[in-house]
Amino acid sequence: MKKSALQRVRAEYQPKLPKALQGPVKLKVGEPTKSVANQEEIEKLFPHTYGMPVVEFERDDNPVRVEEPFNVGIILSGGQAPGGHNVVSGIFDGIKSLNPECRLYGFLMGPSGFINHQYMELTAGYIKEYRNTGGFDIIGSGRTKLENPEQFEAGLTVLKELNIKALVIIGGDDSNTNAAVLAEYYKNIGADVQVIGVPKTIDGDLKNKWIETSFGFDTACKVYSEVIGNIQRDCNSAKKYYHFIKLMGRSASHIALECALETQPNVCLISEEILAKRMTLDNIVSQLCYVIAERAKLGWNFGTVLVPEGLIEFIPSMKALISELNEVLVDHSEEIEGLEDLERLRTIHSYLTPKNAELFHSLPRHIALQLTLDRDSHGNVQVSLIETESLLSGMVERRLEEMAENGEYIGKFAAQHHFFGYEGRCADPTNFDADYTYALGFNAAMLINAGLTGYMSSVRNLTDTTENWIAGGIPITMMMNMERRHGAMKPVIQKALVNLNGRPYLKYASMRETLALNTLYQYPGPIQYFGPAEVCDRPSMTLLLEHGKDI
Ligand code: FBP
């Protein structure tokens, strides 16, 4: 494969490691843990892996042990996130640093490769081609849900065949939930296989005190912010369009919020706030029309509106509709399958309770249909397929026409729609993500060597210099609670949504009015890999603010 000039030079980048991981390590064991909620239920479901302590690595200046060689398997699970390849190189370098005879195997195309025994050995020469690059193409990724004993047993056969001591699952909250279930299962049957998770997702919703951010969030947000900045320049040059920009992130609005802090658009909707204020679709439209009408008074018929991907699920009435749709789609799946669009809508409509049926009926047909599309394997609505940005702009346009008729609005409204998601998921990782992912991988190798299972690789203190990052592990069960999925209560890692008392949100909220009624766009420009640290190594504004820093 011919490489670009940047690829060639970037391949030479040596990610930085925390001081603690720069040589032999010893383990510091902390206090036993509890799950974030539903402690009794979770403890019952995870009798062997519940309550384990948080652990931290320290440099061991007097190492005595010579490590036996061991083999490790890895799975890349779910959506792509920048830095995945560096997790793999970190694990590889980590196990090789312990014993050069250690081997690394990659299961192909996500959990399905594990179940169906499709794998490859990852050698030094092969990995070299992928260091510091974006994407998951080194072994591919997939969304098969690892959830039942037959799959666990099928996987165990190949693990035994390859003499694999530990499996590393690189995934988001759902995949790491599965990692915890698998760890418990193997421990329960005495299979002698460890399972370690690595926190991945551009969505930024897998975070807590020990997982300060999921990898990929930093890079993805910087890619989107660059393009939003470019659109804002265009918008401010031609002064004739409102750009409705939907941003990935599934349920949480972290990406939209981070991009708003980076680019200062005229409006950024925050789903969590909309839920907290119990706003209706109508309220949101009124809010947008107010801004548009006020800007029109100043002679500005242009602007930018950021829309989080998961918005629709946070509008209370829509949320109720979606949760009933989830049940109807499961309960009547055979009847619905294969029906023509209109018939499908009619049939689903007939099973809805009156209030939800009315709302469902009021939606534009394409949006109603998008809401009935298959859920992903974890039972989530595939929000990336719902065109919320066009739903909103269409409603805004109709409302502005009414306002114009009543003399409440004089202006011109023309909308452009964008959806940024896939553009950012495979970008070459920023220096932050390149270092963070490499450290997460290297650290996972140390967790394996320490004999731990059911742990997530944790690297924290991330706004300090890399040297001072803290490396260790946390039991996955401590992040869990019980939630309703596919019509039943299941133990899952609790998603971290935007905290309305947190500094990132409060910062944006404090600027919101000014940004709406002025034109104060910021243009972050493209990710820089070489140059001054304040440009190249700056972590996300969300992380800086959460760590009490100024932006
Ligand atoms: P993960 O949670 O698996 O990391 O996926 C993140 C994400 O990019 C979401 O933001 C988005 O809603 C979804 O994946 C899109 O899924 P797909 O890649 O299957 O289209």
Side-chain angles (χ1 to χ4, degrees), residues 282-297:
D282 209 52
N283 296 149
I284 299 170
V285 171
S286 302
Q287 187 186 312
L288 291 171
C289 289
Y290 163 76
V291 172
I292 293 168
E294 288 302 304
R295 288 180 67 81
K297 283 183 199 159

Side-chain angles (χ1 to χ4, degrees), residues 257 273 504-513:
L257 178 57
E273 180 189 11
Y505 168 78
L506 294 175
K507 176 77 186 174
Y508 171 66
S510 72
M511 307 190 288
R512 181 158 47 190
E513 190 76 12

Side-chain angles (χ1 to χ4, degrees), residues 362-383:
S362 73
L363 295 170
R365 190 186 296 174
H366 71 287
I367 300 286
L369 267 174
Q370 286 164 6
L371 284 175
T372 71
L373 292 173
D374 288 344
R375 279 26 185 173
D376 72 9
S377 58
H378 301 277
N380 303 312
V381 177
Q382 301 193 56
V383 277

Side-chain angles (χ1 to χ4, degrees), residues 65 67-73 95 98 102-103 105 159-160 162-168 186 191-196 445-453:
R65 281 177 54 187
E67 307 299 345
E68 290 296 316
F70 57 86
N71 298 345
V72 171
I95 60 174
L98 294 164
C102 290
R103 286 165 171 240
Y105 293 93
L159 294 177
K160 292 292 169 200
L162 298 172
N163 196 21
I164 287 178
K165 168 187 164 84
L167 181 67
V168 181
Y186 286 158
D192 201 20
V193 175
Q194 299 158 241
V195 184
I196 299 292
M446 299 305 132
L447 292 171
I448 295 168
N449 194 45
L452 300 170
T453 189

Side-chain angles (χ1 to χ4, degrees), residues 77-81 143 171-175 200-203 205 224 247-251 255 309 376 378 381-385 419 421-422 425 495:
S77 183
Q80 287 69 252
R143 289 199 184 275
D173 52 343
D174 287 326
S175 309
K200 168 236 70 168
T201 179
I202 59 161
D203 299 351
D205 57 3
Y224 307 141
L247 290 157
M248 251 191 191
R250 210 191 282 284
S251 303
I255 294 183
E309 181 181 58
D376 72 9
H378 301 277
V381 177
Q382 301 193 56
V383 277
S384 61
L385 303 179
F419 170 34
Y422 300 100
R425 298 201 312 185
K495 261 193 203 307

